Amino acid sequence: MATKFFIPSVNILGQGSVDEAINDIKALGFTKALIVTDKPLVNIGLVARVQDKLNTQGIDVVIFDGVQPNPTMGNVEAGLALLNTHQCDFIISLGGGSPHDCAKGIALVATNGGQIKDYEGVDVSKKPQMPLVAINTTAGTASEMTRFCIITDEARHIKMAIVDKNTTPILSVNDPELMLEKPASLTAATGMDALTHAIEAYVSIAANPITDACAIKAIELINANLVNAVKQGDDITARENMAYAQFLAGMAFNNASLGYVHAMAHQLGGFYDLPHGVCNALLLPHVQTYNAKVVPQRLSDVAKAMGVNVSTMTPEQGANAAIDAIKALSCAVNIPANLTELGVKAEDIPTLAENALKDACGFTNPKQATHEEICQIFTNAL
Ligand SMILES: [Fe+2]
């Protein structure tokens, strides 16, 4: 079967990447940027630092700092209004997954018209989005380099999955210096999100040898570096390795897609406004327990990448070891114990399960589930 591989055409990684990126932006001839970001990054002075660098190169800047942690249709509309008022000719997303996703929504509607909800699903848009440069500050959602855009529809209380080749940024930037001093809880949640990307891509029915290589290397790097990045936020080596890891996990899931962990976590995020990475971390072992019946060898490979000696194990034993290793890593980075601690209610599960089965991310899970089975997985995670 023929496969396509999607990735931004230029990707800059490592210390000093931001300066390199601004030289590239200047060379591309853009003159006025809409920076899409959030208030915490304004408050710590990061947005002003990037703005100064752009101004020095003669590039004007308009700032939209209204992105919420789970970006909404309202956020997209507010950013789009600012873009149109100021006639910006390109967009820079600065932050983690939320600013990148919101910026993709703005960029897609800017050229295609209508509302962002018109583009829910796979490859619905007709035209390339407005040029988007994505400067990443967490490791990570990998949204700076993927074609995935997740926007909350406030009216329906769901997260819409927009999977569209036209949302791919033209340039992605991963400078670990921007990731230093991020709070431990954010580092843990985003790191577990990256682990989930790699594992879901590795067991996906759309996996191929390229995505497999990316996923396994990502799992190895996350296993070796996430605890250090969480416990010693100024460890630049751990931060840089996590930046590479989340990028590799992004390469994997951008092309092999995801599974029920994301399909289900999106519903928790949309319904209760919970952090994406924490929801993933809590659902990951339970969904892989469900998947272990059909992909034990794949999960045994995951255990090996997480440092388990699987040489004398059966595939089923290896799969169990992977699930144990995932739980141990979650515990080591202080992820909450269960969904009940996050306020998830048993009576909401039938609705959450119904919406999870409609989420495009679940279509590549290695085993398709019934509504009852999804309800059971949610219940197991309570
Ligand atoms: Fe994710």
Side-chain angles (χ1 to χ4, degrees):
M1 190 179 76
T3 59
K4 286 184 183 173
F5 198 80
F6 296 97
I7 185 173
S9 54
V10 181
N11 305 276
I12 310 177
L13 297 106
Q15 291 180 68
S17 293
V18 171
D19 290 337
E20 192 70 31
I22 288 172
N23 290 336
D24 281 19
I25 291 167
K26 173 78 174 167
L28 286 164
F30 297 123
T31 59
K32 194 171 193 179
L34 178 74
I35 294 186
V36 177
T37 188
D38 54 32
K39 290 198 171 55
L41 294 183
V42 173
N43 294 340
I44 64 170
L46 179 61
V47 177
R49 290 211 312 269
V50 173
Q51 182 177 11
D52 286 348
K53 288 174 188 281
L54 287 160
N55 289 159
T56 301
Q57 293 285 357
I59 297 162
D60 287 339
V61 169
V62 176
I63 295 168
F64 173 60
D65 64 2
V67 181
Q68 294 170 239
N70 286 312
T72 63
M73 283 182 59
N75 294 162
V76 171
E77 282 159 21
L80 185 63
L82 208 57
L83 177 95
N84 289 333
T85 300
H86 293 275
Q87 303 269 296
C88 301
D89 59 357
F90 77 117
I91 299 174
I92 296 176
S93 55
L94 176 61
S98 307
H100 301 318
D101 282 3
C102 186
K104 288 173 179 177
I106 295 167
L108 198 67
V109 178
T111 54
N112 283 274
Q115 294 180 288
I116 189 60
K117 71 177 177 186
D118 300 336
Y119 305 100
E120 186 176 5
V122 180
D123 286 338
V124 179
S125 76
K126 297 279 186 281
K127 299 177 190 169
Q129 68 179 2
M130 178 172 265
L132 170 62
V133 174
I135 303 176
N136 196 28
T137 64
T138 65
T141 65
S143 182
E144 83 285 358
M145 54 78 66
T146 69
R147 60 196 169 108
F148 285 68
C149 168
I150 309 296
I151 302 291
T152 298
D153 181 339
E154 307 96 313
R156 289 185 288 164
H157 295 288
I158 63 157
K159 281 190 167 189
M160 296 181 289
I162 296 139
V163 186
D164 196 313
K165 61 183 183 300
N166 285 330
T167 65
T168 307
I170 58 166
L171 170 63
S172 82
V173 185
N174 273 283
D175 191 329
E177 288 171 11
L178 304 189
M179 300 172 186
L180 295 171
E181 296 160 22
K182 284 280 178 303
S185 59
L186 179 70
T187 304
T190 51
M192 291 303 291
D193 184 27
L195 180 70
T196 307
H197 295 155
I199 294 174
E200 292 216 280
Y202 192 69
V203 302
S204 160
I205 58 167
N208 64 49
I210 303 174
T211 60
D212 285 352
C214 295
I216 289 295
K217 187 64 185 174
I219 295 166
E220 289 173 357
L221 283 170
I222 293 165
N223 190 61
N225 292 279
L226 180 57
V227 172
N228 278 357
V230 169
K231 303 223 158 142
Q232 281 187 277
D234 60 352
D235 182 339
I236 190 72
T237 303
R239 293 289 189 183
E240 184 155 311
N241 283 334
M242 282 302 300
Y244 276 103
Q246 68 92 34
F247 189 91
L248 282 160
M251 288 172 75
F253 90 83
N254 198 35
N255 298 285
S257 195
L258 293 161
Y260 283 143
V261 182
H262 272 76
M264 295 168 71
H266 288 157
Q267 312 320 317
L268 297 173
F271 204 83
Y272 302 105
D273 202 22
L274 292 170
H276 174 66
V278 174
C279 295
N280 279 337
L282 288 175
L283 290 166
L284 182 59
H286 297 286
V287 172
Q288 299 322 314
T289 299
Y290 175 77
N291 290 340
K293 299 173 199 100
V294 290
V295 285
Q297 183 58 56
R298 289 251 138 191
L299 287 169
S300 185
D301 296 345
V302 169
K304 187 178 175 196
M306 295 187 78
V308 178
N309 180 0
V310 296
S311 59
T312 59
M313 293 182 183
T314 64
E316 289 73 21
Q317 289 170 329
N320 286 336
I323 291 157
D324 289 344
I326 294 164
K327 288 179 181 169
L329 185 57
S330 264
C331 186
V333 296
N334 299 319
I335 296 290
N338 51 52
L339 294 179
T340 304
E341 271 190 30
L342 302 183
V344 176
K345 302 272 188 303
E347 60 262 34
D348 297 330
I349 286 177
T351 305
L352 295 168
E354 193 180 325
N355 289 329
L357 283 169
K358 294 178 196 157
D359 189 297
C361 293
F363 301 162
T364 43
N365 198 73
K367 182 171 189 254
Q368 288 301 293
T370 62
H371 181 262
E372 194 179 359
E373 287 173 325
I374 297 288
C375 286
Q376 188 59 55
I377 298 169
F378 270 127
T379 303
N380 294 344
L382 282 176

